[in-house]
Structure formats: C-alpha cells, structure tokens
Amino acid sequence: MGLVLAGRRRLPPLLLALLLACKPYSPCDEEAACVSPSTSSGEATVSGESSSGESSSGDGSSSSGSTAVDSGSDAGTNGQTDSTDSTGTTSTGAPAVCGDGDVDPGEECDDGNTDDADACPPTCLRDRWVFVTAATHKPDFGGAEGADSLCRQYALQSGRADDTWKSFKAWVSDSTTDIRDRLTPGVLARYVRTDGVVVARGVDQFFSGTLEASISVDEFGAPQEGGVITGTRPDGTAVPGSLHCDDWTFVGDQLSLHYGVITATDEAWTMPSDMDFNPTACGASWRLYCIEGA
C-alpha cells in the first residue's frame, strides 16, 4: 500500500511509472490520414499533400472556410473576364469596327458609314491615286527608278498631292525586277483615277489581267489615249527575253520595248497580245502609268 499525502492515496511507484510510459490514444493509430498544421502558409497537410481549403484551428478541428474552385478563367473583381489575344495583350474594349466614326489602329479613315461611293470606303483605307502621265518620254529615263521619280514629280505638279506622295511607282518592269515586286503587296485600298473613277479594288487586281476602268486620265484629270511604256505582262512580271531598251537607258531602233494601251481594261492595258505590233522600237515617245504606293 502506498503512502497518503494531503488526504489522497499515493500511487505505488511502479504503477506510476507504467502509466507515464503509456502512449495516449490517438485517432492516428487507426486512421491513415492525420492532419498536421502548416507553419508557413496556414494550410493543412493531408497524407503529404497540400489541402487548399482547410487549415488547423489549433484545437484539432478544421476551419469552416470553403475552397475556391479554379475554373480556368481569370475573373476580375466585378465577375467579368478579360480577353487575351495571341500576343499576350489584354483587351477590355470592343473590337475596332470600320464605320463607327473612330479611326482605330489599322484604319486610315472612318467617316461613320460603310458607303462604297464616298472618300472612305468600307475597308477604312484611304483611296490611292493612279494616273497616266500627260507628258510623253523617250525610253531613256534612267531605269525603273527614273520612271518612279517622274511619277512623283507629276503628282506634285498636279496640285492634287503633297510631299506624302513620295511612294509613287511607275508601272514599269526591267530585266532584273518585276513591277509586282516593286509595289507594296497586300494593300486592300481602292485605286482611283484623278477624276474619282475606281480602277482597281486592291493592289492584286493590277495582276489579274482585268481592271475596273481604264487608266486613261492624267494627273490633271484630263483624258488621254495612245500607248504607254510597261515592259510588263498581265500578271505583273517582266516580259521574258526583252532588253527593255537596255533597261530604259537607250533610244534607237536597234532595241525594242513592250507597251500597253491606255484605253483598255483587259490584258491589253499592260501588254497587247498582237506580236505584229508589240514589241516595237525604242525610238518613239510614250506615256507612263503611275500608281501610288502605301
């Protein structure tokens, strides 16, 4: 029997030692999953995995907060989502619309309508000018670049243009370069004569063999007729095997050139197929087609 202290029976030393050595019962002895609080993020770890919805409350019970479900979308504070394009740029506004009255990126004009007959067509790209020169030239104008320079000069002299017309190109090919490679590719703007008549709806129509209207009006708006130096087939490539008047630096009957008919809208506008007359000698004077670039 043990000793009594302060009215209570003292346990025998052997029994006290046995009780202190026993491990208290825990649900972990029977459960595979035990919950232990995380010291860094306040999250609970279950069987070695992180539970994002619950945390230990310190008394062995879990907090009642609910777990947010990731739906794969990035929601804003007002419940709306922002769209992200392929470049990673987030856009919260409506897409640009031609005809809304605002000149948006990628547009050159926007008059608030989609009327095809006014100065700003439904593409919202401003019209480009195209004309045949009032003056004629012998074919020694200094190559394709010399022809381009003449077109820019005539555009400025007409009073219809300013220094922004520096991108004019002459519809001329030579032995090394096709005109289709000298024009700005992919432009969807309309090409109009100086009297406002549409000649082509996009630069690619010049390579199709058919125009909307003939390029028979000069830079001043006056009608012209006759022939024009081109050296170019209907698809916009140089006539093969031609010396093009020594690449537009020679005058004389020893060499020849290919020309177009100003009043034509079919393939003859750049090169008639009648080989009895085309090509012809490099001795005469001709006009040039001039087309505004980008």
Side-chain angles (χ1 to χ4, degrees):
M1 300 296 290
L3 298 177
V4 176
L5 180 62
R8 293 185 180 181
R9 185 184 297 271
R10 174 175 294 182
L11 296 175
L14 180 60
L15 179 59
L16 179 61
L18 291 174
L19 291 175
L20 293 176
C22 290
K23 180 181 178 182
Y25 170 78
S26 172
C28 294
D29 294 336
E30 298 180 1
E31 299 288 342
C34 290
V35 179
S36 61
S38 170
T39 58
S40 59
S41 62
E43 296 180 348
T45 302
V46 180
S47 298
E49 297 181 357
S50 175
S51 170
S52 62
E54 297 182 352
S55 62
S56 174
S57 64
D59 59 358
S61 62
S62 299
S63 64
S64 60
S66 61
T67 302
V69 178
D70 184 4
S71 63
S73 63
D74 184 13
T77 57
N78 59 357
Q80 297 179 347
T81 58
D82 295 338
S83 60
T84 304
D85 61 19
S86 60
T87 64
T89 302
T90 300
S91 173
T92 58
V97 176
C98 180
D100 62 5
D102 296 323
V103 180
D104 301 303
E107 297 179 346
E108 296 176 338
C109 63
D110 196 323
D111 55 6
N113 63 66
T114 55
D115 186 358
D116 192 46
D118 60 16
C120 185
T123 59
C124 278
L125 299 175
R126 65 177 180 80
D127 292 337
R128 268 68 170 168
W129 295 104
V130 57
F131 61 86
V132 65
T133 60
T136 60
H137 293 271
K138 291 187 179 296
D140 60 344
F141 39 74
E145 291 184 358
D148 294 345
S149 179
L150 289 171
C151 284
R152 289 193 294 269
Q153 292 177 42
Y154 292 137
L156 291 170
Q157 292 172 8
S158 70
R160 298 172 182 266
D162 54 28
D163 285 340
T164 62
W165 284 38
K166 293 179 179 179
S167 61
F168 263 89
K169 300 290 185 181
W171 180 266
V172 168
S173 299
D174 58 29
S175 63
T176 61
T177 309
D178 301 331
I179 180 56
R180 67 177 301 132
D181 294 333
R182 302 198 311 113
L183 292 179
T184 304
V187 179
L188 300 177
R190 298 182 307 191
Y191 289 81
V192 301
R193 302 186 316 203
T194 51
D195 61 356
V197 174
V198 176
V199 170
R201 297 182 184 275
V203 70
D204 287 344
Q205 188 168 359
F206 289 114
F207 316 135
S208 70
T210 303
L211 301 178
E212 301 272 326
S214 62
I215 310 176
S216 55
V217 174
D218 64 25
E219 65 269 31
F220 301 104
Q224 299 291 344
E225 59 184 17
V228 58
I229 292 175
T230 66
T232 303
R233 297 185 294 181
D235 64 355
T237 60
V239 178
S242 174
L243 296 178
H244 307 282
C245 300
D246 198 13
D247 285 340
W248 315 119
T249 61
F250 175 83
V251 175
D253 295 338
Q254 295 88 342
L255 299 178
S256 61
L257 62 81
H258 290 80
Y259 64 91
V261 178
I262 291 172
T263 54
T265 57
D266 59 8
E267 294 183 351
W269 80 271
T270 183
M271 192 183 85
S273 58
D274 189 350
M275 302 303 293
D276 292 335
F277 299 97
N278 199 9
T280 189
C282 294
S285 294
W286 306 81
R287 291 185 170 82
L288 294 166
Y289 287 135
C290 298
I291 301 174
E292 186 182 4

